[in-house]
Amino acid sequence: MVAEKKEALAGWGNYPVVESLVSHPRDKKDWKEIISTGPLIPRGLGRSYGDQAINSGQHVAVSTRMNHFLAWNEQEGILTCEAGASLEEIITTFAPRGWLPMICPGTKFVTIGGAIANDIHGKAHHVDGSFINCVISFTILLADGRIVTASREENADLFIANFGGLGLLGVILTATIRLRKIETTYFRQQSIKVNNLEEMLEALEKNQHYNYSVAWVDTLAKGKKLGSGVLTVGDAAVFKDLPASLQKDPLKVHTISKLTVPFFMPGFVLNNVTVRVLNRLIAFVQNSPKEFVHYEKFFFPLDMINNWNRGYGKRGFIQYQFVIPEKGGEQVLREIMEMIAASGCTPFLNVFKKMGEGQGILSFPFAGYTLAIDFPVTKGLKDFTRRLDQKVLEAGGRLYLGKDSMMEKEMFQKMYPQYAEWLAIKQKYDPQNTFTSDIAKRLGLGV
Ligand SMILES: Cc1cc2nc3c(=O)[nH]c(=O)nc-3n(C[C@H](O)[C@H](O)[C@H](O)COP(=O)(O)OP(=O)(O)OC[C@H]3O[C@@H](n4cnc5c(N)ncnc54)[C@H](O)[C@@H]3O)c2cc1C
């Protein structure tokens, strides 16, 4: 029998926290045994913010012990690995050989299974698209115990439905993915300070030729300053452009940070006054970067402090990320930022960018503007996010399911009308709802 333990479990936002039965399968045999014992959800490194990888009173099976590399084609940069392997492990092994993952989100502590299940995106979505674009195929253990391959040619419905499928169609066991050839592990970047939303959108437009672009926005700013912030753009640095000091070790790899938030901070630490001070600090740091910067700082600045999520206190926090169409988007963004600044809900770490075309069925991205805001959980937060949801819906937008923890089923169905197509695929491959989770129950993602 695979050992299982009752544990209080949450996503990265530490909200909600629920008791689940947790196990750590080591091989296919363990997974098959777990499946035969009742409903479960696979979990990777738990970096989804909400209730995606928790399962109240039911089973959560953590994939991280199945993290082996299985095959590597150095000529083409094609890797086959177990789905519990993380981007961090892939980078550590392959960056010194001149390869990086094609899609890098804001943390490297995500597994390949998690990256597929949320069809994650990075700062280059307008150029590279989302994770689906680097996946050639994967193998998946289905509810009936079969292990099948899914690709664009084979079981194509299963392939596409897993991107954004939240682990609800089966356990992804292995995946074959493309990495990106690099000359150096550095990026050449530039920061542009903008004084309001109009300037922000202009700067984004003018700098679309950069592969990577992301902005930090001060969502406490009001009036003429509304939408002010710093846009950072950049491209992979080539060897000949690097300063001599960096040319000595052009494929340098990160080290794991020793900085950590040792315990949950008291809830009162983060309030509108402290956030205003921190926003000034962020604006200063963002606005005065070095020209050449290592991938660790470029892609994963938050990984430099372990357990930073404890800074929000025991009540936890949510990350509210939406995307809205570009047309009419400026006015909607203005209204949303005004709502946030007036809400008293302490917005922090606000990330803004432009997205390209989307794929997948329940996959989040589509061409438009996306804004992600952290809010500590407070009494009035749910009422406020309900109002925000309505605004996003009216603008033709939707929320990122990999980060959501508060949306209601009716709102989800309006934002993702294609959910019925996804449910038909769920019915075909998992008619007994063997794969379920708290978000599945909340949003009605079961048959
Ligand atoms: C600091 C930070 C920055 C982030 N930045 C970004 C960003 O820029 N862009 C972005 O898109 N996301 C971002 N995220 C979110 C993160 O990339 C996703 O939530 C990702 O899915 C987490 O992977 P994980 O391994 O932790 O999976 P978990 O959170 O453990 O699980 C996520 C989902 O994957 C499913 N799953 C996991 N393993 C398997 C498997 N083997 N088979 C089937 N299903 C499986 C789970 O059931 C669950 O539904 C960020 C998160 C953090 C904490």
Side-chain angles (χ1 to χ4, degrees):
M1 279 290 284
V2 186
E4 55 182 41
K5 206 171 127 205
K6 231 185 219 176
E7 265 182 46
L9 208 60
W12 188 246
N14 289 310
Y15 173 86
V17 184
V18 302
E19 259 197 4
S20 307
L21 285 171
V22 182
S23 65
H24 296 262
R26 288 180 180 277
D27 53 28
K28 287 181 215 165
K29 200 173 112 277
D30 284 356
W31 275 112
K32 285 192 179 182
E33 188 185 311
I34 294 168
I35 285 181
S36 68
T37 60
L40 77 145
I41 192 72
R43 177 176 170 109
L45 280 162
R47 259 39 179 211
S48 295
Y49 279 76
D51 49 2
Q52 294 74 13
I54 56 174
N55 208 3
S56 302
Q58 293 181 317
H59 211 116
V60 175
V62 182
S63 70
T64 48
R65 288 190 182 160
M66 291 182 68
N67 61 347
H68 300 96
F69 299 145
L70 305 173
W72 168 239
N73 177 333
E74 180 89 40
Q75 276 70 48
E76 310 221 7
I78 295 176
L79 171 71
T80 301
C81 62
E82 289 183 319
S86 68
L87 293 186
E88 198 273 328
E89 289 159 338
I90 292 174
I91 293 169
T92 306
T93 307
F94 293 97
R97 300 168 186 223
W99 299 89
L100 277 182
M102 256 183 69
I103 313 288
C104 288
T107 174
K108 58 190 177 301
F109 298 112
V110 306
T111 61
I112 295 302
I116 292 174
N118 277 324
D119 194 18
I120 61 169
H121 60 271
K123 293 192 207 186
H125 186 268
H126 59 293
V127 180
D128 292 335
S130 51
F131 206 72
I132 190 169
N133 283 349
C134 74
V135 180
I136 297 168
S137 64
F138 55 77
T139 63
I140 181 166
L141 172 63
L142 300 175
D144 61 10
R146 280 181 304 140
I147 296 175
V148 301
T149 300
S151 68
R152 287 167 185 82
E153 294 79 36
E154 202 175 345
N155 298 310
D157 58 347
L158 189 59
F159 182 77
I160 193 91
N162 265 284
F163 291 90
L166 297 164
L168 297 168
L169 296 166
V171 183
I172 298 164
L173 293 174
T174 67
T176 298
I177 62 171
R178 254 176 234 290
L179 305 190
R180 183 191 302 280
K181 186 82 188 131
I182 46 159
E183 277 186 36
T184 81
T185 47
Y186 289 86
F187 289 79
R188 192 172 197 164
Q189 66 171 10
Q190 193 200 335
S191 286
I192 303 148
K193 187 172 181 295
V194 294
N195 295 308
N196 53 47
L197 187 60
E198 209 182 329
E199 280 184 29
M200 174 69 83
L201 300 187
E202 261 174 39
L204 265 176
E205 207 50 59
K206 242 170 70 190
N207 290 284
Q208 283 295 298
H209 54 284
Y210 284 99
N211 279 353
Y212 302 93
S213 84
V214 69
W216 167 80
V217 184
D218 181 357
T219 41
L220 282 180
K222 294 183 186 165
K224 284 186 187 158
K225 286 265 169 203
L226 188 103
S228 59
V230 180
L231 172 67
T232 305
V233 290
D235 280 319
V238 290
F239 181 80
K240 72 171 174 45
D241 291 345
L242 283 189
S245 58
L246 300 181
Q247 279 184 345
K248 284 183 201 145
D249 188 6
L251 292 170
K252 186 177 160 192
V253 175
H254 65 277
T255 49
I256 295 289
S257 171
K258 291 198 177 76
L259 290 175
T260 196
V261 178
F263 47 78
F264 286 99
M265 303 287 267
F268 58 79
V269 169
L270 216 58
N271 55 48
N272 279 12
V273 178
T274 50
V275 165
R276 261 182 231 286
V277 176
L278 287 168
N279 277 351
R280 255 183 237 146
L281 190 69
I282 293 172
F284 174 75
V285 174
Q286 294 275 21
N287 200 27
S288 48
K290 291 184 182 160
E291 185 182 4
F292 291 95
V293 57
H294 191 248
Y295 67 72
E296 182 68 359
K297 276 201 184 134
F298 190 70
F299 288 135
F300 315 122
L302 289 168
D303 287 351
M304 283 174 217
I305 304 174
N306 300 308
N307 299 321
W308 60 261
N309 53 344
R310 292 179 183 161
Y312 286 91
K314 272 203 168 144
R315 293 220 288 202
F317 70 107
I318 65 161
Q319 186 169 98
Y320 190 88
Q321 182 170 2
F322 64 85
V323 57
I324 52 166
E326 196 176 335
K327 193 158 179 265
E330 181 172 348
Q331 182 53 25
V332 177
L333 284 169
R334 203 175 289 285
E335 287 167 17
I336 288 180
M337 286 179 190
E338 276 164 1
M339 283 170 76
I340 292 172
S343 70
C345 281
T346 320
F348 190 48
L349 285 182
N350 320 296
V351 176
F352 178 63
K353 68 174 270 79
K354 214 169 153 180
M355 294 191 126
E357 296 298 331
Q359 299 176 64
I361 303 176
L362 295 183
S363 197
F364 166 66
F366 67 68
Y369 298 121
T370 180
L371 180 62
I373 316 120
D374 287 3
F375 290 108
V377 174
T378 50
K379 232 174 155 193
L381 184 61
K382 211 171 212 168
D383 284 343
F384 178 56
T385 59
R386 253 183 228 143
R387 290 201 288 125
L388 283 182
D389 293 352
Q390 189 57 37
K391 192 91 200 151
V392 170
L393 176 71
E394 282 163 11
R398 62 193 186 207
L399 303 196
Y400 186 2
L401 300 181
K403 295 189 173 172
D404 171 58
S405 37
M406 291 191 164
M407 185 170 37
E408 286 168 353
K409 179 178 161 186
E410 294 67 31
M411 181 56 73
F412 158 69
Q413 293 184 343
K414 288 181 192 155
M415 286 186 180
Y416 286 84
Q418 66 275 34
Y419 78 94
E421 183 192 344
W422 186 88
L423 278 181
I425 298 171
K426 170 92 172 157
Q427 169 76 48
K428 178 174 165 191
Y429 290 99
D430 183 20
Q432 311 288 335
N433 273 329
T434 300
F435 296 97
T436 188
S437 62
D438 281 16
I439 193 172
K441 289 163 208 152
R442 176 164 60 85
L443 300 182
L445 287 167
V447 288

